Amino acid sequence: MADSTAGGPAPYDALLLLSFGGPEAPEEVVPFLENVTRGRGIPKERLAEVGQHYFLFGGVSPINAQNRELLAALRKDFAEHGLELPVYWGNRNWAPYLVDTLREMADDGHRRIAVLATSAYAGYSGCRQYRENLADALATLAAEGRSGLAVDKLRHFYNHPGFVEPMIEATLAALAELPAPLRAGAELAFTTHSIPTAMAEASGAPDDPARGTPGGAYVAQHLDVAGLIAAAVAEATGVADRPWQLVYQSRSGAPHVPWLEPDICDHLADRQQAGAAAVVMVPIGFVSDHMEVKYDLDTEAVARAAELDLPVARAATVGADPRFTAAVRELLLERAAAERGEPVPRCTLGALGPGQDRCAVACCPNPRAPRPAAAQAEA
């Protein structure tokens, strides 16, 4: 990135790492799932059933440990580059809760906060819901007398080189795990979280050309990243016609509601029937190897592949890769320069260009009921 950010992080005086959260003990699993599903009327018995995924791993989701690793990596990167900006961490659904972290930040004297949400793409659950949670937390703090905080969410990072390039490297490493005779014929399955098709089609800004089309901005952004990785893998391996597809995982909705398809397990069965030599699963929809990667891919999909006698490998997620932490720093400094009114280049790959700094009021609308959202453009 060009050094047009000499003004440093001003006007921001802190960065908030905002994530989903997860349980860290068996007795926390059902209360955590109650937080995630609050307002949807899901019986506790069903939550206990879903919780079996967590109990297979001792009732501990890996996501909090991975967020601690990313938090430490960001602090280290900032310090090494002379960026004197404290970094805090808060979650939507489990401790440390967002409202508690913002309260700590307010009490520490911070007033203008940049926010990195650990979700790379447009969509209600991956973007707007985080901004609704921010609005709720700010309202709670204002009621306590802690007013005057302003939060700005950094733009989507799905097409930043610091996110894409580690995924390319991870895909090549996963290919190399396969037996040598299978590598040239191995296909790529780019995986992400399935969401309702109606929610997908409503994703993105109102003026986004993908809004309202099949999959909306959510699918368009994933396809952009998948195409970048597939092209780089083709160049590195010399296999120009390697098949690839965007597929989905972790569906959790009612059977009668249409969700994005195909599911990864169905896709594996389809490719086995088609004679694929092997499949490399590339989880581009996830920043770290949390539960939906460890269970839905490493456990469930791997078991399905074994039933099919189909060799598979799984690419690593970005996690705390130094290129990703550098990307966060660049995005922060880019946004700070923009807030100061300074021209600044936007570092992106692919065809879609950089996302907007401030989400429009009608971006990625709430599928249930309108709610206030923070970090958005003026109405």
Side-chain angles (χ1 to χ4, degrees):
M1 183 176 181
D3 186 15
S4 58
T5 54
Y12 298 113
D13 55 30
L15 175 70
L16 169 63
L17 173 65
L18 177 55
S19 191
F20 193 82
E24 296 192 90
E27 62 272 16
E28 296 178 355
V29 170
V30 171
F32 162 73
L33 292 173
E34 288 175 334
N35 285 347
V36 173
T37 61
R38 182 167 288 115
R40 302 182 195 177
I42 299 177
K44 183 170 286 191
E45 295 76 17
R46 172 58 180 159
L47 296 181
E49 180 182 336
V50 174
Q52 292 304 316
H53 299 177
Y54 292 88
F55 296 136
L56 287 173
F57 296 86
V60 179
S61 167
I63 193 169
N64 277 1
Q66 290 161 3
N67 280 322
R68 292 187 185 98
E69 183 181 0
L70 178 57
L71 182 70
L74 288 170
R75 289 170 172 168
K76 179 175 181 289
D77 178 273
F78 283 14
E80 289 175 348
H81 290 84
L83 190 61
E84 297 181 359
L85 194 81
V87 187
Y88 294 74
W89 164 43
N91 291 324
R92 281 173 45 183
N93 298 298
W94 203 249
Y97 287 105
L98 167 61
V99 67
D100 295 331
T101 300
L102 280 178
R103 183 181 294 111
E104 178 187 2
M105 297 176 83
D107 290 348
D108 287 347
H110 300 297
R111 292 296 179 268
R112 189 75 186 272
I113 299 165
V115 179
L116 172 73
T118 54
S119 178
Y121 302 89
Y124 174 71
S125 59
C127 184
R128 185 180 177 89
Q129 192 172 12
Y130 280 104
R131 297 191 297 106
E132 290 177 351
N133 297 148
L134 284 165
D136 291 342
L138 292 174
T140 297
L141 297 185
E144 298 171 355
R146 295 177 172 87
S147 58
L149 274 72
V151 296
D152 289 335
K153 180 178 175 292
L154 301 182
R155 67 176 171 91
H156 298 133
F157 53 80
Y158 68 91
N159 57 1
H160 194 287
F163 181 74
V164 176
E165 290 171 0
M167 292 302 308
I168 293 169
E169 184 177 290
T171 305
L172 291 168
L175 268 171
E177 294 174 8
L178 294 170
L182 301 180
R183 293 171 192 165
E187 302 183 5
L188 306 180
F190 295 98
T191 75
T192 192
H193 205 300
S194 182
I195 61 175
T197 56
M199 187 186 296
E201 290 170 1
S203 62
D207 59 353
D208 191 318
R211 177 84 170 256
T213 64
Y218 182 77
V219 169
Q221 292 171 3
H222 281 85
L223 287 173
D224 197 45
V225 173
L228 288 167
I229 297 171
V233 169
E235 181 177 359
T237 61
V239 180
D241 58 350
R242 187 186 305 277
W244 64 269
Q245 186 171 340
L246 178 63
V247 302
Y248 303 93
Q249 61 178 89
S250 313
R251 174 182 173 139
S252 59
H256 68 279
V257 177
W259 283 51
L260 294 173
E261 297 177 336
D263 177 78
I264 177 61
C265 290
D266 295 336
H267 177 72
L268 293 176
D270 176 74
R271 301 322 300 154
Q272 188 270 345
Q273 286 291 318
V279 174
V280 172
M281 300 180 290
V282 187
I284 58 171
F286 307 92
V287 173
S288 64
D289 285 7
H290 56 62
M291 186 59 68
E292 288 173 321
V293 174
K294 301 299 288 183
Y295 180 81
D296 295 348
L297 294 183
D298 294 352
T299 305
E300 191 173 49
V302 166
R304 181 60 176 141
E307 293 172 0
L308 296 165
D309 197 25
L310 176 67
V312 294
R314 199 266 291 175
T317 52
V318 170
D321 187 286
R323 288 164 291 186
F324 181 57
T325 56
V328 174
R329 169 172 41 84
E330 291 173 0
L331 288 169
L332 169 69
L333 293 175
E334 167 199 292
R335 179 61 182 274
E339 290 297 308
R340 296 193 300 267
E342 300 169 7
V344 59
R346 306 290 177 134
C347 195
T348 61
L349 299 172
L352 299 182
Q356 70 271 24
D357 282 338
R358 296 186 182 276
C359 294
V361 173
C363 270
C364 305
N366 189 325
R368 290 181 288 275
R371 290 179 54 204
Q376 67 184 16
E378 296 297 325

